[in-house]
Amino acid sequence: MKSPDELQRKLQRQWLQGELRQRRLLEQQQWPLHLTIGKPSPLMMRQHIAAVREHIQRWRSVLVGEVDWQPVSYRSTAEPVELPISWVVHSADEWIAALADESIRQEYRLINSIMAHTDPLYHPMLIRQRQQVLTKGAEETILACKVASQLQAGYAAGKPLRALSVDGCDSKFFQRHRNLLGKLLELRFGQQVMEQGLEQFLGALDESEHWLLVVPLETGLLPFQQLRLRSSELAQTPLPGTHLLIIENERSLYQLPTLPGTVAILGAGLNLGWMKAAWINKKHIAYWGDIDTWGMTMLARARANQPTLTPLLMDQETFSNFSEKNAVAEPISAGEAVPAILTEPESNLYRQLYQLERGRLEQEFIPLAMTENSITRWHFVTDSASNSG
């Protein structure tokens, strides 16, 4: 048999469970909630009757919800004993009252205040993101929801995020609430928001963009051996040649062969929005990255910008050939969800990499001869197709 304190602690633990908290605050069918108290055993009735009386008295003192009392017969008692069998909590308000915890009571008031002033679309996420909401408070969270409801793809029209004033937000608003805004916008527009990045989705100037390494693989194709360009400049500056090789990491530079009409762009990482530039559409494009969940995610983003690109050395065969000796653990994965734009074999590889203890094969651990052959073969096949056309 359980005491009021025991069931109260159970209800407190349940408040901390995001999915359960969401259901109970938003779904009326979750109520009433029946909590089993249990009955004392016959042995306890014979030998510990004082403890049973105390148990009964404690439950008679419970004023929240409804205690279900039923007569129970025992051989050791002359008459049936009225015992508390279950505790019925009828609503979220009663749930919070039953917890008798001031901090949780304040959280509940905060969440109710936010829900009263925000779009119901956001409520499930806000209830689950308890810590984030507590940190930001009601006023800032409500403003973030209002801002998210007004934003659209391309809203910034080339301005930096700090220059946007939506509903009176200050210049550092997007910096403070970047993660929350991204999640709110995903509820409206889908996973594409975070896949593209907030700046790219809103069409904002990315002031944090990094520099990319541009390397011609044919002598004389460019008037330099190496050059660093910002991605925004690269998007507006057509490069010569017929082939474009895009590579996740700069450290793979030494693995590249000499190729006519080819320029390599290294170190792009997740910053791939520049690949939408119109001048790139006219090139033969290949993408090469690490074989891990993040590498496959970057491949998906690159393909979203250039659907006809050719992935190089990012397949099951390559991973199987070199993973036994060279695969390592991926420090932080890109998540269990497989990017939708991957092909079926790539999706299967992603799932495998996510589950493996050593699910990361870095580019530089693929033998030099194999990388040179793969890149050269891509160039030959695409060049032959162009000439035959």
Side-chain angles (χ1 to χ4, degrees):
M1 59 186 188
K2 296 180 176 63
S3 69
D5 288 344
E6 287 179 277
L7 291 184
Q8 185 182 74
R9 287 192 294 271
K10 178 179 180 179
L11 290 173
Q12 289 172 344
R13 291 193 299 269
Q14 290 175 348
W15 172 260
L16 301 178
Q17 299 174 33
E19 293 292 336
L20 182 57
R21 184 171 60 249
Q22 173 195 322
R23 292 196 302 271
R24 289 192 180 168
L25 295 188
L26 294 180
E27 300 174 10
Q28 189 57 42
Q29 61 267 34
Q30 293 290 315
W31 307 102
L33 182 66
H34 294 265
L35 301 167
T36 301
I37 298 172
K39 298 178 290 188
S41 66
L43 179 62
M44 189 167 193
M45 288 295 293
R46 288 197 308 270
Q47 298 183 2
H48 303 283
I49 189 64
V52 173
R53 290 195 183 101
E54 182 182 355
H55 170 75
I56 292 172
Q57 185 56 43
R58 294 185 67 184
W59 276 107
R60 291 200 183 280
S61 301
V62 172
L63 302 177
V64 178
E66 178 185 354
V67 179
D68 178 25
W69 296 85
Q70 295 181 18
V72 180
S73 298
Y74 290 91
R75 291 182 180 180
S76 58
T77 61
E79 297 179 351
V81 181
E82 285 284 325
L83 292 173
I85 302 302
S86 65
W87 188 17
V88 185
V89 180
H90 296 93
S91 66
D93 286 346
E94 284 194 359
W95 179 25
I96 302 307
L99 301 182
D101 186 300
E102 182 56 31
S103 63
I104 292 179
R105 188 177 291 114
Q106 290 177 5
E107 291 178 26
Y108 181 59
R109 285 198 293 264
L110 174 67
I111 290 173
N112 277 337
S113 172
I114 292 171
M115 291 198 298
H117 296 89
T118 54
D119 190 321
L121 173 67
Y122 305 141
H123 293 175
M125 188 275 290
L126 293 173
I127 292 171
R128 289 195 307 272
Q129 300 293 322
R130 166 177 165 268
Q131 288 296 338
Q132 189 172 59
V133 169
L134 290 175
T135 300
K136 298 187 180 302
E139 185 177 346
E140 287 281 273
T141 303
I142 291 169
L143 180 55
C145 292
K146 290 182 177 179
V147 170
S149 293
Q150 296 185 53
L151 296 175
Q152 301 284 341
Y155 182 94
K159 293 185 291 186
L161 294 180
R162 59 182 171 81
L164 299 182
S165 180
V166 186
D167 249 303
C169 67
D170 61 73
S171 61
K172 293 186 177 180
F173 183 83
F174 283 86
Q175 178 183 339
R176 291 198 308 274
H177 304 297
R178 181 184 187 89
N179 187 47
L180 176 58
L181 284 169
K183 291 177 179 177
L184 293 170
L185 288 172
E186 277 201 328
L187 292 172
R188 294 185 60 205
F189 301 105
Q191 193 176 355
Q192 60 171 317
V193 176
M194 297 311 287
E195 286 183 351
Q196 293 179 17
L198 198 58
E199 280 81 5
Q200 184 177 334
F201 176 76
L202 294 175
L205 174 66
D206 188 351
E207 298 179 292
S208 64
E209 64 180 355
H210 62 271
W211 295 71
L212 303 174
L213 180 62
V214 179
V215 180
L217 300 186
E218 177 186 3
T219 302
L221 187 61
L222 289 170
F224 45 76
Q225 292 184 340
Q226 295 184 17
L227 176 70
R228 290 195 180 275
L229 288 175
R230 292 187 303 174
S231 58
S232 58
E233 294 178 289
L234 187 60
Q236 302 169 15
T237 308
L239 297 176
T242 56
H243 290 67
L244 192 64
L245 177 57
I246 300 167
I247 302 173
E248 178 184 343
N249 303 301
E250 289 188 11
R251 60 179 181 266
S252 296
L253 176 60
Y254 77 95
Q255 294 170 280
L256 305 183
T258 299
L259 286 175
T262 305
V263 175
I265 299 176
L266 301 95
L270 288 164
N271 185 2
L272 296 165
W274 54 271
M275 288 182 62
K276 289 184 176 180
W279 67 266
I280 297 180
N281 296 335
K282 303 174 184 178
K283 308 288 186 183
H284 297 294
I285 308 165
Y287 182 86
W288 178 32
D290 292 335
I291 304 180
D292 58 14
T293 61
W294 279 112
M296 302 304 289
T297 297
M298 294 174 203
L299 170 61
R301 293 190 184 186
R303 183 178 286 138
N305 294 324
Q306 293 294 336
T308 61
L309 64 73
T310 302
L312 300 177
L313 300 166
M314 300 183 71
D315 51 40
Q316 179 67 60
E317 182 180 2
T318 303
F319 184 78
S320 298
N321 286 341
F322 304 105
S323 60
E324 183 175 351
K325 291 184 178 180
N326 297 315
V328 296
E330 188 174 20
I332 301 175
S333 78
E336 186 176 2
V338 180
I341 203 166
L342 293 179
T343 64
E344 185 175 351
E346 291 166 350
S347 297
N348 292 335
L349 176 58
Y350 186 103
R351 295 186 188 95
Q352 177 188 354
L353 297 171
Y354 179 79
Q355 294 171 359
L356 286 175
E357 183 177 347
R358 296 187 301 123
R360 184 185 191 195
L361 179 63
E362 297 171 286
Q363 293 173 278
E364 61 265 40
F365 290 109
I366 298 177
L368 180 61
M370 185 171 183
T371 62
E372 290 184 343
N373 288 340
S374 179
I375 295 170
T376 302
R377 184 168 61 251
W378 157 72
H379 186 279
F380 175 78
V381 171
T382 51
D383 197 43
S384 298
S386 296
N387 292 334
S388 64

